[in-house]
């Protein structure tokens, strides 16, 4: 083992003595990476992901699923089946999971939590992008329905209810941050627990107590692209995606707050960086051949790359200031990932090549733990420890509800007429 670390260290040191030697030493450096991968494979024990990931939520909470008219869910999916495969599909699969989950109760009087099966992102453009503009009216309509037909919403004004809102900026329901901030979280959802992909500290679109989840990535498709574990990781840094959004932000200063543009301008000719806008058919295989996978923000701080990196054992390099990561109370992100401040992107090569080999090895061992991978996926059928169960664990940890959430007779906190005028129109 010591020999492996020593060879890797030598490769890094000599590879960066003289910038002019980069191209000549590319093969030499990558062979050091190959050696590290082979050494990792010599470990029999994968790193521990922590006991919390293996918690079983069954017996710790009961969830009542409202039976809503199909216009809020199934009919939307029938209209556009693409909703099943896009990155926001957690709202659909969470519904399906709960219908057959042992935590479901058919008696609302014994429920700890109430769930409304609404698919607010299942309204797609021809290009497959979700349109959030009808979502606030859909949510208002559903809440009006459950508050009129069941007594449970009114006793807490939603404080014991949870909603899955996987839009770019959660329940702010807009894909542009400036507009999302201007809108804020839908007022009727302010007391509810929001299960959302968006997470950023000190942001108006993330309420305290929200549960941040991974975006949906198709488990079966990813499994079909698995390569043998003994294939060496011969790519140092890997990224495929946009650097500029030429249609909405051609200069690159607003999109990704300029971080992606900085990656391209600084490292497009660096042989350590395999980066491109091309999305090859070998994308999943390439991630499994890489040591580091860049996970920069785009319009929002999160993307499916985070899921892909963890599943494929590629150390995620997270470039998104103040991001709140999925299941952060259970997944040791500091131990498995590398965090780079957006302003430090020009120093990315120095930062990554300065990481000690033993630290890289530890991160790879932790990523090899099956519990870590399961926690990031929404498989069909569900599996113990998967993302469904992590959501339930997060809800269970919020129990029991504080008595203060229950309102006195006639007491009202939420303002049903607050928000943009367009949100008040019937859906």
């Amino acid at each position: 083992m010591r020999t492996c670390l020593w060879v890797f260290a030598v490769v890094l040191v000599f590879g960066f003595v003289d910038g002019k030697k980069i191209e000549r030493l590319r093969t030499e450096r990558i062979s050091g990476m190959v050696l590290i991968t082979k050494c990792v494979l010599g470990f029999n024990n994968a790193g521990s992901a922590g006991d919390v990931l293996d918690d079983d939520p069954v017996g710790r909470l009961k969830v009542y699923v409202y039976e809503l008219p199909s216009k809020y869910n199934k009919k939307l999916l029938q209209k556009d089946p693409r909703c099943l495969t896009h990155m926001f599909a957690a709202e659909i699969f969470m519904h399906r999971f709960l219908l057959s989950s042992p935590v479901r109760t058919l008696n609302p009087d014994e429920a700890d939590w109430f769930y409304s099966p609404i698919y607010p992102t299942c309204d797609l453009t021809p290009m497959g992008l979700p349109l959030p503009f009808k979502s606030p009216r859909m949510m208002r309509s559903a809440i009006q329905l459950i508050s009129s037909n069941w007594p449970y919403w009114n006793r807490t004004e939603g404080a014991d209810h949870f909603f899955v809102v996987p839009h770019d900026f959660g329940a702010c329901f807009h894909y542009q941050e400036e507009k999302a901030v201007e809108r804020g979280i839908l007022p009727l959802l302010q007391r509810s627990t929001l299960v959302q992909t968006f997470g950023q500290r000190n942001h108006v679109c993330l309420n305290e107590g929200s549960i941040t989840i991974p975006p949906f990535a198709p488990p079966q498709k990813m499994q079909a692209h698995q390569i043998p574990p003994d294939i060496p990781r011969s790519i140092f840094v890997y990224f495929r995606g946009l650097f500029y959004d030429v249609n909405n932000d051609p200069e690159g200063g607003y999109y990704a707050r300029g971080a992606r543009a900085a990656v391209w301008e600084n490292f497009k000719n660096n042989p350590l960086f395999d980066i491109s806008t091309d999305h090859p058919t070998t994308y999943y295989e390439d991630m499994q051949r890489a040591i580091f996978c860049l996970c920069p923000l785009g319009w929002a701080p999160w993307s499916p790359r985070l899921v892909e990196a963890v599943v494929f054992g590629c150390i995620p390099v997270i470039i998104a200031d103040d991001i709140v990561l999925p299941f952060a109370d259970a997944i040791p992100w500091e131990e498995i990932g590398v965090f780079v401040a957006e302003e430090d992107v020009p120093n990315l090569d120095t930062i990554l090549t300065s990481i000690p080999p033993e630290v890289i090895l530890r991160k790879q061992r932790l990523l090899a733990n099956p519990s870590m991978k399961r926690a990031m996926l929404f498989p069909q059928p569900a599996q113990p420890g998967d993302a469904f169960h992590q959501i339930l664990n997060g809800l269970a940890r919020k129990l029991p509800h504080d008595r203060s959430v229950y309102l006195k007779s006639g007491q009202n906190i939420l303002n049903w007429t607050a928000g943009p005028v367009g949100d008040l129109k019937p859906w």
Side-chain angles (χ1 to χ4, degrees), residues 68-77 79 83 91 116-124 130-146 163-167 173 183 186 188-189 416 422-427:
L68 298 183
S70 60
K71 69 176 184 177
Y72 294 102
N73 41 65
K74 294 179 182 177
K75 282 190 176 179
L76 295 171
L77 183 55
K79 179 182 176 182
C83 296
E91 62 188 8
S116 300
I118 308 169
Y119 302 167
T121 66
C122 192
D123 182 16
L124 306 181
L131 293 170
F133 309 116
K134 298 178 183 177
S135 301
R137 289 187 289 138
M138 182 193 305
M139 280 289 186
R140 284 182 57 87
S141 173
I143 293 171
Q144 287 172 335
L145 181 66
I146 63 176
F163 295 83
V164 181
V165 282
H167 269 291
F173 295 125
R183 287 186 52 84
L186 186 71
L188 291 184
L189 294 177
W416 284 75
D423 291 358
L424 307 181
K425 297 178 180 179
W427 179 72

Side-chain angles (χ1 to χ4, degrees), residues 215-235:
F216 177 79
Q220 290 82 1
K221 181 179 178 182
M222 298 174 78
Q223 180 65 35
H225 288 266
Q226 290 279 358
I227 64 176
D230 59 346
I231 298 295
R233 291 187 179 269
S234 56
I235 301 170

Side-chain angles (χ1 to χ4, degrees), residues 169-172 184-196 198-212 324 398 414:
F169 291 94
C172 287
I185 291 174
L186 186 71
L188 291 184
L189 294 177
Q190 287 287 357
R191 286 174 59 82
S192 301
T193 290
L194 303 178
V195 178
Q196 59 186 65
F198 173 76
Q200 183 173 317
R201 288 184 293 274
N202 305 314
H203 199 285
V204 299
C205 297
L206 180 69
N207 273 350
E208 183 179 357
S210 297
I211 296 175
T212 309
V324 177
K398 293 168 69 69
L414 298 178

Side-chain angles (χ1 to χ4, degrees), residues 18 43 81 94-95 117 120 148-149 162 187 217 235 250 254 271 286 314 345 421:
D18 185 346
F43 281 86
M94 190 67 190
H95 180 200
S148 300
N149 290 280
F162 70 93
I235 301 170
Y254 185 69
D286 292 343
C314 186
V345 167
V421 175

